[in-house]
Amino acid sequence: MSRTPFHDLTNTPCTPPITPPPSASHSPAFNAQFNAQNFFLSNENSRDTPATIEPPRKRRKVASEEPFSTKTDAEVWSPSDEKIVENQFARCTSTAWSHYRITIKRQAGVITFVFRCKRGNSKHAETTRERSKMKQGCSSLGDAAKRCDKTTSSPVDNVVTIPYSEARRRAICAIRCAANKPPFASQDDKWYRYEVDLLRPGTIPPSSKVVECDVGLMYVQYAKVVRWYFEICILTMDGAGNCNTTATNLVSLNPRFKGTPWRGYCFLHIIQLSAKMILSFFTKQDPKEAYTSAEEDADLTQLFEEDTAEREAIRNQIPDSTAREEHDKAVVSKIRLAAITAMAERGVTVDAKDSKTALQLIPRVCGLARKIHDSSPVATSFAKIVDNDPTIVGQTQTLARRCASRWNSDYYSRDTALILEQPVRALMKDKDLNLTYKLTNDQWNLAADLRDVLECVKEPTLQFSKGGNARPLISDVITALDSLRNSLINASNSDDIADICRVAAYSRSLVLNKYIDLIPNCEAYEFAIVLFPHLTLDWFKQNGRSSTQIQRIRESIVARFEELFKTTSQPSPARPSAPQPQAPPPGRVRRRFAAPIGRPTPSAPKQIPNDIHSYLDTPPLPSLEGKTVLQYWSAEKATQPDLAEMALTYCSAPSTSVDVFRRP
């Protein structure tokens, strides 16, 4: 019988018994026995030393962060839907949650979870539950999941057993080494081979040399697939100069890539840049400048130190973030001066007093929020004031903190401060706390105006921050930019807000104009709208585009279709011939007094499948009947493959590079 390491372990001879010490019936006193001679005579020195058993140590309690489930909806509003669901159910041990596909609805400041059955059971109805009421218990969801499991078959029952083959075995070993990055020598490990032989006797795993060759072959073959995948693609990047270089140099590596026409702009980076433009009127442009007020010096210095530290940490984590920061700073500085000059010509100016009032706003609001979160006496006093205030309605119970790299935290810090304005004023009257963050009446009004201007971009930011299947596509960018620019122009023309907020809103609209002017350079934005069946070229007609611009878009999309996507020759559509007048029938004319029959309503022309000209001449569809644009064109691939291929290429382009960079 062959020997294995298992036999070596099981057949090891036992240790001989330990010789007990001699009888000590007539030995001296107990303490006298403990000397060196008696120790060696007792064979105690040759005995295995047992492991020291220590009593379990008590773990020291560490002040942990507040559980996510106990936070209010306002405090967790900014993260994405996926992040909220992940954090909310991270500590839940029940298996019932895996039965549901959990999504989120946001409405009127309230976050609501939507639970849908993953098994598609029509009898298992959709359930909604507000996030604030989750702590009251969700046993009904668990009971419904158990009832559904009993009535539907388990997915495990439908699993198909994959037969064994040598090729599949080698492929799995190569994929494991490529994905998990273990050393190739792990294939020669004897314990691994014993395990394989135990599971399937007689199986010989591939050696390290074989797996190494397979991985190399895999990379070579998949490189061709990756190259083919990127032959026709839309690159969505931010506006930094190095991204323009990428789009330009990629043409030499991929001749089918069209360079600037296929270079998109990250919508969230545009939003973040425009937010920096507004906030530039409320923050010091150079934090190293000396301040004249000793009281504001501490607050401003601490605020800028936090911003600098956080931005430096993010710059170290994200590649090429330094170039993006320099690009943003240059754009903000240039457009800020242009906005001030243009609004001054309209009689809207910002004097030194207004600038000083604006510069004090953010440090005081953010400093108070930081004090409430960091100081226990201040937090306790503020919580009591909020609890005793009957005018506070909703879940906002404290001030939101500011995050330097996320502009929407500036909005929420202003919004929560205005909601809790009366408790904040009462807190400032407590002389024992010695707080120096008091706002004047003008600053409270300015905070409300700034909140209203920032609110213009709140909804677009939340919409374009979604991921997964809910991620907006590139066709949504033009409509969102037009709507956002109109809102900011309305704010700059309003006499109801402070002049500095009007100038800030106008400067933000100039940022949007800069990127709206760049959109025609990237054909994907306009092509995606044309290839939406319920938009087409009619959208440009209804939104003020000239006939020259519409004709340019039409000619461009036809040329690109015939260049890259047209594979079969389509016959030109036959034009219906005009009806020929018929000669009156011979004999007496009958029905001389009959009323003339009205001309029938002309029917809308029907599209010729897979013909780009016919598609552009056909009126847009009233709706897609509940389908997404990608689902619609996927279903059309059977009847019009060329047109569907073009539509899927352009319409599937993302509107933002949010997976690469942090959300604003």
Side-chain angles (χ1 to χ4, degrees), residues 298-299 302-303 306 362-383 398-402 413 424 427-428 430-438:
D299 296 335
Q302 185 171 3
L303 178 68
E306 291 179 352
I362 291 181
R364 291 187 178 183
V365 174
C366 296
L368 179 59
R370 182 176 59 251
K371 195 73 174 179
I372 291 176
H373 284 270
D374 296 344
S375 175
S376 179
V378 178
T380 303
S381 300
F382 188 69
T398 188
L399 301 184
R401 298 195 64 168
R402 179 175 184 264
S413 63
V424 169
L427 184 67
M428 291 293 102
D430 192 342
K431 298 181 179 180
D432 296 336
L433 298 177
N434 193 23
L435 299 175
T436 59
Y437 307 102
K438 184 178 180 180

mmCIF file of all heavy atoms in Angstrom, residues 298-299 302-303 306 362-383 398-402 413 424 427-428 430-438:
data_model
loop_
_atom_site.group_PDB
_atom_site.id
_atom_site.type_symbol
_atom_site.label_atom_id
_atom_site.label_comp_id
_atom_site.label_asym_id
_atom_site.label_seq_id
_atom_site.Cartn_x
_atom_site.Cartn_y
_atom_site.Cartn_z
ATOM 1 N N ALA A 298 -9.875 82.032 12.240
ATOM 2 C CA ALA A 298 -9.851 80.655 12.724
ATOM 3 C C ALA A 298 -10.826 79.778 11.950
ATOM 4 O O ALA A 298 -10.499 78.659 11.547
ATOM 5 C CB ALA A 298 -10.185 80.625 14.213
ATOM 6 N N ASP A 299 -12.030 80.308 11.711
ATOM 7 C CA ASP A 299 -13.027 79.509 10.999
ATOM 8 C C ASP A 299 -12.614 79.259 9.554
ATOM 9 O O ASP A 299 -12.693 78.134 9.047
ATOM 10 C CB ASP A 299 -14.388 80.223 11.028
ATOM 11 C CG ASP A 299 -14.923 80.352 12.444
ATOM 12 O OD1 ASP A 299 -14.530 79.511 13.283
ATOM 13 O OD2 ASP A 299 -15.699 81.280 12.714
ATOM 14 N N GLN A 302 -9.539 76.828 9.354
ATOM 15 C CA GLN A 302 -9.895 75.428 9.595
ATOM 16 C C GLN A 302 -10.680 74.859 8.413
ATOM 17 O O GLN A 302 -10.476 73.708 8.001
ATOM 18 C CB GLN A 302 -10.710 75.306 10.876
ATOM 19 C CG GLN A 302 -11.014 73.857 11.258
ATOM 20 C CD GLN A 302 -11.630 73.749 12.642
ATOM 21 O OE1 GLN A 302 -11.873 74.762 13.290
ATOM 22 N NE2 GLN A 302 -11.869 72.536 13.087
ATOM 23 N N LEU A 303 -11.570 75.682 7.846
ATOM 24 C CA LEU A 303 -12.354 75.213 6.708
ATOM 25 C C LEU A 303 -11.449 74.883 5.524
ATOM 26 O O LEU A 303 -11.561 73.820 4.901
ATOM 27 C CB LEU A 303 -13.378 76.281 6.310
ATOM 28 C CG LEU A 303 -14.251 75.965 5.090
ATOM 29 C CD1 LEU A 303 -15.192 74.826 5.403
ATOM 30 C CD2 LEU A 303 -15.023 77.193 4.656
ATOM 31 N N GLU A 306 -9.326 71.720 6.107
ATOM 32 C CA GLU A 306 -10.094 70.492 5.873
ATOM 33 C C GLU A 306 -10.274 70.251 4.374
ATOM 34 O O GLU A 306 -10.130 69.126 3.895
ATOM 35 C CB GLU A 306 -11.456 70.587 6.563
ATOM 36 C CG GLU A 306 -11.376 70.559 8.088
ATOM 37 C CD GLU A 306 -12.745 70.671 8.715
ATOM 38 O OE1 GLU A 306 -13.720 70.913 7.977
ATOM 39 O OE2 GLU A 306 -12.836 70.525 9.943
ATOM 40 N N ILE A 362 -20.363 80.656 4.515
ATOM 41 C CA ILE A 362 -20.012 79.236 4.541
ATOM 42 C C ILE A 362 -19.202 78.864 5.781
ATOM 43 O O ILE A 362 -19.496 77.851 6.437
ATOM 44 C CB ILE A 362 -19.279 78.845 3.245
ATOM 45 C CG1 ILE A 362 -20.257 78.899 2.069
ATOM 46 C CG2 ILE A 362 -18.668 77.454 3.353
ATOM 47 C CD1 ILE A 362 -19.656 78.503 0.741
ATOM 48 N N PRO A 363 -18.157 79.643 6.176
ATOM 49 C CA PRO A 363 -17.422 79.257 7.391
ATOM 50 C C PRO A 363 -18.286 79.212 8.640
ATOM 51 O O PRO A 363 -18.093 78.346 9.502
ATOM 52 C CB PRO A 363 -16.333 80.333 7.492
ATOM 53 C CG PRO A 363 -16.151 80.822 6.106
ATOM 54 C CD PRO A 363 -17.502 80.772 5.489
ATOM 55 N N ARG A 364 -19.233 80.132 8.765
ATOM 56 C CA ARG A 364 -20.062 80.143 9.978
ATOM 57 C C ARG A 364 -21.048 78.976 9.997
ATOM 58 O O ARG A 364 -21.205 78.310 11.033
ATOM 59 C CB ARG A 364 -20.800 81.474 10.072
ATOM 60 C CG ARG A 364 -19.868 82.640 10.364
ATOM 61 C CD ARG A 364 -20.621 83.925 10.612
ATOM 62 N NE ARG A 364 -19.702 85.015 10.936
ATOM 63 C CZ ARG A 364 -20.085 86.246 11.251
ATOM 64 N NH1 ARG A 364 -21.382 86.548 11.270
ATOM 65 N NH2 ARG A 364 -19.195 87.164 11.530
ATOM 66 N N VAL A 365 -21.717 78.713 8.864
ATOM 67 C CA VAL A 365 -22.669 77.600 8.836
ATOM 68 C C VAL A 365 -21.943 76.268 9.001
ATOM 69 O O VAL A 365 -22.359 75.401 9.786
ATOM 70 C CB VAL A 365 -23.480 77.633 7.524
ATOM 71 C CG1 VAL A 365 -24.374 76.403 7.417
ATOM 72 C CG2 VAL A 365 -24.322 78.895 7.443
ATOM 73 N N CYS A 366 -20.847 76.098 8.274
ATOM 74 C CA CYS A 366 -20.111 74.835 8.366
ATOM 75 C C CYS A 366 -19.420 74.688 9.718
ATOM 76 O O CYS A 366 -19.312 73.579 10.249
ATOM 77 C CB CYS A 366 -19.077 74.752 7.239
ATOM 78 S SG CYS A 366 -19.802 74.719 5.589
ATOM 79 N N GLY A 367 -18.930 75.792 10.272
ATOM 80 C CA GLY A 367 -18.301 75.717 11.591
ATOM 81 C C GLY A 367 -19.282 75.316 12.675
ATOM 82 O O GLY A 367 -18.956 74.532 13.571
ATOM 83 N N LEU A 368 -20.514 75.843 12.596
ATOM 84 C CA LEU A 368 -21.526 75.458 13.579
ATOM 85 C C LEU A 368 -21.911 73.993 13.425
ATOM 86 O O LEU A 368 -22.069 73.273 14.432
ATOM 87 C CB LEU A 368 -22.757 76.350 13.419
ATOM 88 C CG LEU A 368 -23.916 76.061 14.373
ATOM 89 C CD1 LEU A 368 -23.470 76.210 15.828
ATOM 90 C CD2 LEU A 368 -25.110 76.974 14.082
ATOM 91 N N ALA A 369 -22.056 73.524 12.194
ATOM 92 C CA ALA A 369 -22.377 72.106 11.984
ATOM 93 C C ALA A 369 -21.269 71.217 12.531
ATOM 94 O O ALA A 369 -21.535 70.184 13.161
ATOM 95 C CB ALA A 369 -22.591 71.832 10.499
ATOM 96 N N ARG A 370 -20.023 71.598 12.301
ATOM 97 C CA ARG A 370 -18.903 70.810 12.824
ATOM 98 C C ARG A 370 -18.894 70.819 14.353
ATOM 99 O O ARG A 370 -18.619 69.808 15.001
ATOM 100 C CB ARG A 370 -17.591 71.378 12.275
ATOM 101 C CG ARG A 370 -16.356 70.621 12.705
ATOM 102 C CD ARG A 370 -15.101 71.173 12.063
ATOM 103 N NE ARG A 370 -14.892 72.575 12.384
ATOM 104 C CZ ARG A 370 -15.026 73.574 11.516
ATOM 105 N NH1 ARG A 370 -15.376 73.326 10.272
ATOM 106 N NH2 ARG A 370 -14.820 74.827 11.882
ATOM 107 N N LYS A 371 -19.223 71.972 14.935
ATOM 108 C CA LYS A 371 -19.242 72.080 16.402
ATOM 109 C C LYS A 371 -20.347 71.202 16.996
ATOM 110 O O LYS A 371 -20.155 70.540 18.028
ATOM 111 C CB LYS A 371 -19.465 73.545 16.798
ATOM 112 C CG LYS A 371 -19.146 73.853 18.253
ATOM 113 C CD LYS A 371 -17.656 73.860 18.492
ATOM 114 C CE LYS A 371 -17.319 74.320 19.897
ATOM 115 N NZ LYS A 371 -15.860 74.313 20.161
ATOM 116 N N ILE A 372 -21.493 71.183 16.349
ATOM 117 C CA ILE A 372 -22.603 70.369 16.861
ATOM 118 C C ILE A 372 -22.258 68.888 16.796
ATOM 119 O O ILE A 372 -22.592 68.110 17.700
ATOM 120 C CB ILE A 372 -23.888 70.685 16.065
ATOM 121 C CG1 ILE A 372 -24.366 72.108 16.380
ATOM 122 C CG2 ILE A 372 -24.986 69.673 16.371
ATOM 123 C CD1 ILE A 372 -25.564 72.544 15.568
ATOM 124 N N HIS A 373 -21.569 68.462 15.751
ATOM 125 C CA HIS A 373 -21.216 67.051 15.602
ATOM 126 C C HIS A 373 -20.056 66.643 16.510
ATOM 127 O O HIS A 373 -19.994 65.494 16.944
ATOM 128 C CB HIS A 373 -20.870 66.748 14.142
ATOM 129 C CG HIS A 373 -22.061 66.640 13.245
ATOM 130 N ND1 HIS A 373 -22.715 65.456 13.014
ATOM 131 C CD2 HIS A 373 -22.736 67.585 12.539
ATOM 132 C CE1 HIS A 373 -23.735 65.653 12.190
ATOM 133 N NE2 HIS A 373 -23.765 66.940 11.881
ATOM 134 N N ASP A 374 -19.135 67.568 16.803
ATOM 135 C CA ASP A 374 -17.920 67.205 17.538
ATOM 136 C C ASP A 374 -17.996 67.485 19.031
ATOM 137 O O ASP A 374 -17.273 66.865 19.804
ATOM 138 C CB ASP A 374 -16.707 67.944 16.949
ATOM 139 C CG ASP A 374 -16.425 67.530 15.519
ATOM 140 O OD1 ASP A 374 -16.959 66.480 15.103
ATOM 141 O OD2 ASP A 374 -15.686 68.247 14.821
ATOM 142 N N SER A 375 -18.835 68.416 19.427
ATOM 143 C CA SER A 375 -18.911 68.805 20.836
ATOM 144 C C SER A 375 -20.160 68.210 21.462
ATOM 145 O O SER A 375 -21.282 68.487 21.017
ATOM 146 C CB SER A 375 -18.912 70.334 20.961
ATOM 147 O OG SER A 375 -19.096 70.725 22.302
ATOM 148 N N SER A 376 -19.971 67.427 22.496
ATOM 149 C CA SER A 376 -21.118 66.787 23.151
ATOM 150 C C SER A 376 -22.030 67.795 23.843
ATOM 151 O O SER A 376 -23.255 67.698 23.721
ATOM 152 C CB SER A 376 -20.624 65.735 24.144
ATOM 153 O OG SER A 376 -21.704 65.122 24.807
ATOM 154 N N PRO A 377 -21.509 68.799 24.595
ATOM 155 C CA PRO A 377 -22.423 69.778 25.223
ATOM 156 C C PRO A 377 -23.253 70.554 24.205
ATOM 157 O O PRO A 377 -24.449 70.776 24.406
ATOM 158 C CB PRO A 377 -21.468 70.692 25.996
ATOM 159 C CG PRO A 377 -20.246 69.879 26.223
ATOM 160 C CD PRO A 377 -20.119 69.020 25.028
ATOM 161 N N VAL A 378 -22.615 70.955 23.094
ATOM 162 C CA VAL A 378 -23.355 71.703 22.072
ATOM 163 C C VAL A 378 -24.399 70.811 21.413
ATOM 164 O O VAL A 378 -25.536 71.233 21.169
ATOM 165 C CB VAL A 378 -22.379 72.277 21.030
ATOM 166 C CG1 VAL A 378 -23.141 73.004 19.930
ATOM 167 C CG2 VAL A 378 -21.384 73.217 21.686
ATOM 168 N N ALA A 379 -24.043 69.559 21.116
ATOM 169 C CA ALA A 379 -24.994 68.638 20.494
ATOM 170 C C ALA A 379 -26.182 68.370 21.404
ATOM 171 O O ALA A 379 -27.334 68.316 20.947
ATOM 172 C CB ALA A 379 -24.288 67.335 20.141
ATOM 173 N N THR A 380 -25.925 68.214 22.703
ATOM 174 C CA THR A 380 -27.019 67.955 23.655
ATOM 175 C C THR A 380 -27.953 69.149 23.744
ATOM 176 O O THR A 380 -29.186 69.001 23.733
ATOM 177 C CB THR A 380 -26.442 67.625 25.033
ATOM 178 O OG1 THR A 380 -25.554 66.497 24.914
ATOM 179 C CG2 THR A 380 -27.548 67.297 26.012
ATOM 180 N N SER A 381 -27.384 70.349 23.848
ATOM 181 C CA SER A 381 -28.211 71.554 23.937
ATOM 182 C C SER A 381 -29.040 71.754 22.671
ATOM 183 O O SER A 381 -30.228 72.089 22.730
ATOM 184 C CB SER A 381 -27.326 72.779 24.183
ATOM 185 O OG SER A 381 -26.593 72.646 25.382
ATOM 186 N N PHE A 382 -28.417 71.508 21.507
ATOM 187 C CA PHE A 382 -29.138 71.700 20.251
ATOM 188 C C PHE A 382 -30.250 70.666 20.095
ATOM 189 O O PHE A 382 -31.339 70.987 19.602
ATOM 190 C CB PHE A 382 -28.158 71.616 19.083
ATOM 191 C CG PHE A 382 -28.758 71.986 17.762
ATOM 192 C CD1 PHE A 382 -29.132 73.292 17.492
ATOM 193 C CD2 PHE A 382 -28.960 71.028 16.781
ATOM 194 C CE1 PHE A 382 -29.690 73.634 16.272
ATOM 195 C CE2 PHE A 382 -29.517 71.361 15.561
ATOM 196 C CZ PHE A 382 -29.881 72.674 15.307
ATOM 197 N N ALA A 383 -30.007 69.428 20.516
ATOM 198 C CA ALA A 383 -31.033 68.390 20.416
ATOM 199 C C ALA A 383 -32.242 68.731 21.289
ATOM 200 O O ALA A 383 -33.391 68.502 20.890
ATOM 201 C CB ALA A 383 -30.446 67.044 20.812
ATOM 202 N N THR A 398 -30.738 67.724 12.755
ATOM 203 C CA THR A 398 -29.420 68.311 12.985
ATOM 204 C C THR A 398 -28.907 68.911 11.693
ATOM 205 O O THR A 398 -29.503 68.726 10.617
ATOM 206 C CB THR A 398 -28.433 67.259 13.511
ATOM 207 O OG1 THR A 398 -27.210 67.897 13.907
ATOM 208 C CG2 THR A 398 -28.136 66.219 12.457
ATOM 209 N N LEU A 399 -27.789 69.637 11.781
ATOM 210 C CA LEU A 399 -27.206 70.285 10.621
ATOM 211 C C LEU A 399 -26.337 69.303 9.849
ATOM 212 O O LEU A 399 -25.584 68.533 10.442
ATOM 213 C CB LEU A 399 -26.367 71.500 11.052
ATOM 214 C CG LEU A 399 -27.093 72.610 11.824
ATOM 215 C CD1 LEU A 399 -26.142 73.766 12.092
ATOM 216 C CD2 LEU A 399 -28.314 73.109 11.059
ATOM 217 N N ALA A 400 -26.431 69.334 8.534
ATOM 218 C CA ALA A 400 -25.616 68.470 7.686
ATOM 219 C C ALA A 400 -24.207 69.042 7.586
ATOM 220 O O ALA A 400 -24.025 70.256 7.480
ATOM 221 C CB ALA A 400 -26.237 68.345 6.293
ATOM 222 N N ARG A 401 -23.221 68.159 7.620
ATOM 223 C CA ARG A 401 -21.831 68.594 7.529
ATOM 224 C C ARG A 401 -21.428 68.780 6.072
ATOM 225 O O ARG A 401 -22.014 68.196 5.162
ATOM 226 C CB ARG A 401 -20.900 67.588 8.205
ATOM 227 C CG ARG A 401 -21.160 67.432 9.690
ATOM 228 C CD ARG A 401 -20.019 66.726 10.392
ATOM 229 N NE ARG A 401 -18.784 67.495 10.332
ATOM 230 C CZ ARG A 401 -17.703 67.204 11.056
ATOM 231 N NH1 ARG A 401 -17.709 66.166 11.875
ATOM 232 N NH2 ARG A 401 -16.618 67.937 10.956
ATOM 233 N N ARG A 402 -20.400 69.561 5.869
ATOM 234 C CA ARG A 402 -19.915 69.867 4.527
ATOM 235 C C ARG A 402 -18.767 68.942 4.155
ATOM 236 O O ARG A 402 -17.871 68.693 4.965
ATOM 237 C CB ARG A 402 -19.435 71.324 4.465
ATOM 238 C CG ARG A 402 -18.886 71.753 3.107
ATOM 239 C CD ARG A 402 -18.550 73.231 3.136
ATOM 240 N NE ARG A 402 -18.107 73.707 1.831
ATOM 241 C CZ ARG A 402 -16.840 73.814 1.475
ATOM 242 N NH1 ARG A 402 -15.882 73.478 2.330
ATOM 243 N NH2 ARG A 402 -16.508 74.267 0.282
ATOM 244 N N SER A 413 -26.094 71.509 3.625
ATOM 245 C CA SER A 413 -25.731 72.264 4.835
ATOM 246 C C SER A 413 -26.548 73.541 4.924
ATOM 247 O O SER A 413 -26.993 73.934 6.010
ATOM 248 C CB SER A 413 -24.235 72.583 4.825
ATOM 249 O OG SER A 413 -23.904 73.425 3.731
ATOM 250 N N VAL A 424 -31.321 77.194 15.641
ATOM 251 C CA VAL A 424 -29.957 77.729 15.554
ATOM 252 C C VAL A 424 -29.883 79.095 16.224
ATOM 253 O O VAL A 424 -28.925 79.400 16.960
ATOM 254 C CB VAL A 424 -29.512 77.802 14.084
ATOM 255 C CG1 VAL A 424 -28.215 78.591 13.949
ATOM 256 C CG2 VAL A 424 -29.330 76.404 13.519
ATOM 257 N N LEU A 427 -29.848 78.575 19.886
ATOM 258 C CA LEU A 427 -28.564 78.047 20.353
ATOM 259 C C LEU A 427 -27.520 79.150 20.467
ATOM 260 O O LEU A 427 -26.680 79.126 21.382
ATOM 261 C CB LEU A 427 -28.085 76.960 19.390
ATOM 262 C CG LEU A 427 -26.796 76.222 19.770
ATOM 263 C CD1 LEU A 427 -27.013 75.376 21.028
ATOM 264 C CD2 LEU A 427 -26.317 75.338 18.623
ATOM 265 N N MET A 428 -27.550 80.115 19.556
ATOM 266 C CA MET A 428 -26.572 81.204 19.589
ATOM 267 C C MET A 428 -26.748 82.097 20.812
ATOM 268 O O MET A 428 -25.812 82.789 21.226
ATOM 269 C CB MET A 428 -26.699 82.053 18.319
ATOM 270 C CG MET A 428 -26.254 81.358 17.039
ATOM 271 S SD MET A 428 -24.502 81.018 16.982
ATOM 272 C CE MET A 428 -24.519 79.279 17.382
ATOM 273 N N ASP A 430 -27.221 81.070 23.838
ATOM 274 C CA ASP A 430 -26.668 80.419 25.030
ATOM 275 C C ASP A 430 -25.233 80.896 25.228
ATOM 276 O O ASP A 430 -24.307 80.468 24.533
ATOM 277 C CB ASP A 430 -26.714 78.892 24.858
ATOM 278 C CG ASP A 430 -26.444 78.160 26.158
ATOM 279 O OD1 ASP A 430 -25.903 78.785 27.097
ATOM 280 O OD2 ASP A 430 -26.773 76.959 26.244
ATOM 281 N N LYS A 431 -25.031 81.779 26.179
ATOM 282 C CA LYS A 431 -23.707 82.361 26.407
ATOM 283 C C LYS A 431 -22.731 81.366 27.018
ATOM 284 O O LYS A 431 -21.516 81.545 26.914
ATOM 285 C CB LYS A 431 -23.832 83.593 27.300
ATOM 286 C CG LYS A 431 -24.674 84.710 26.689
ATOM 287 C CD LYS A 431 -24.741 85.917 27.613
ATOM 288 C CE LYS A 431 -25.572 87.036 26.981
ATOM 289 N NZ LYS A 431 -25.647 88.233 27.861
ATOM 290 N N ASP A 432 -23.237 80.339 27.695
ATOM 291 C CA ASP A 432 -22.338 79.363 28.313
ATOM 292 C C ASP A 432 -21.562 78.553 27.268
ATOM 293 O O ASP A 432 -20.470 78.056 27.560
ATOM 294 C CB ASP A 432 -23.135 78.406 29.202
ATOM 295 C CG ASP A 432 -23.785 79.141 30.374
ATOM 296 O OD1 ASP A 432 -23.278 80.216 30.756
ATOM 297 O OD2 ASP A 432 -24.800 78.634 30.892
ATOM 298 N N LEU A 433 -22.115 78.408 26.072
ATOM 299 C CA LEU A 433 -21.445 77.625 25.032
ATOM 300 C C LEU A 433 -20.369 78.417 24.302
ATOM 301 O O LEU A 433 -19.513 77.832 23.645
ATOM 302 C CB LEU A 433 -22.476 77.102 24.027
ATOM 303 C CG LEU A 433 -23.543 76.163 24.600
ATOM 304 C CD1 LEU A 433 -24.548 75.785 23.519
ATOM 305 C CD2 LEU A 433 -22.912 74.912 25.194
ATOM 306 N N ASN A 434 -20.425 79.742 24.375
ATOM 307 C CA ASN A 434 -19.391 80.606 23.792
ATOM 308 C C ASN A 434 -19.204 80.314 22.298
ATOM 309 O O ASN A 434 -18.104 80.060 21.805
ATOM 310 C CB ASN A 434 -18.060 80.434 24.527
ATOM 311 C CG ASN A 434 -17.058 81.528 24.174
ATOM 312 O OD1 ASN A 434 -17.451 82.615 23.734
ATOM 313 N ND2 ASN A 434 -15.780 81.243 24.357
ATOM 314 N N LEU A 435 -20.321 80.356 21.538
ATOM 315 C CA LEU A 435 -20.279 80.098 20.106
ATOM 316 C C LEU A 435 -20.129 81.407 19.332
ATOM 317 O O LEU A 435 -20.733 82.428 19.695
ATOM 318 C CB LEU A 435 -21.559 79.381 19.659
ATOM 319 C CG LEU A 435 -21.811 78.016 20.308
ATOM 320 C CD1 LEU A 435 -23.151 77.468 19.879
ATOM 321 C CD2 LEU A 435 -20.697 77.045 19.961
ATOM 322 N N THR A 436 -19.322 81.373 18.269
ATOM 323 C CA THR A 436 -19.034 82.576 17.475
ATOM 324 C C THR A 436 -19.508 82.404 16.034
ATOM 325 O O THR A 436 -18.849 82.865 15.102
ATOM 326 C CB THR A 436 -17.530 82.873 17.480
ATOM 327 O OG1 THR A 436 -16.832 81.750 16.943
ATOM 328 C CG2 THR A 436 -17.041 83.157 18.888
ATOM 329 N N TYR A 437 -20.636 81.723 15.833
ATOM 330 C CA TYR A 437 -21.109 81.426 14.479
ATOM 331 C C TYR A 437 -22.435 82.118 14.169
ATOM 332 O O TYR A 437 -23.198 81.660 13.334
ATOM 333 C CB TYR A 437 -21.286 79.921 14.303
ATOM 334 C CG TYR A 437 -20.075 79.118 14.661
ATOM 335 C CD1 TYR A 437 -19.990 78.446 15.874
ATOM 336 C CD2 TYR A 437 -18.988 79.043 13.798
ATOM 337 C CE1 TYR A 437 -18.866 77.707 16.208
ATOM 338 C CE2 TYR A 437 -17.858 78.313 14.120
ATOM 339 C CZ TYR A 437 -17.809 77.646 15.332
ATOM 340 O OH TYR A 437 -16.693 76.917 15.661
ATOM 341 N N LYS A 438 -22.692 83.226 14.806
ATOM 342 C CA LYS A 438 -23.970 83.902 14.639
ATOM 343 C C LYS A 438 -24.069 84.521 13.256
ATOM 344 O O LYS A 438 -23.137 85.139 12.750
ATOM 345 C CB LYS A 438 -24.135 84.984 15.706
ATOM 346 C CG LYS A 438 -25.491 85.680 15.668
ATOM 347 C CD LYS A 438 -25.607 86.702 16.782
ATOM 348 C CE LYS A 438 -26.966 87.400 16.741
ATOM 349 N NZ LYS A 438 -27.098 88.409 17.827
#
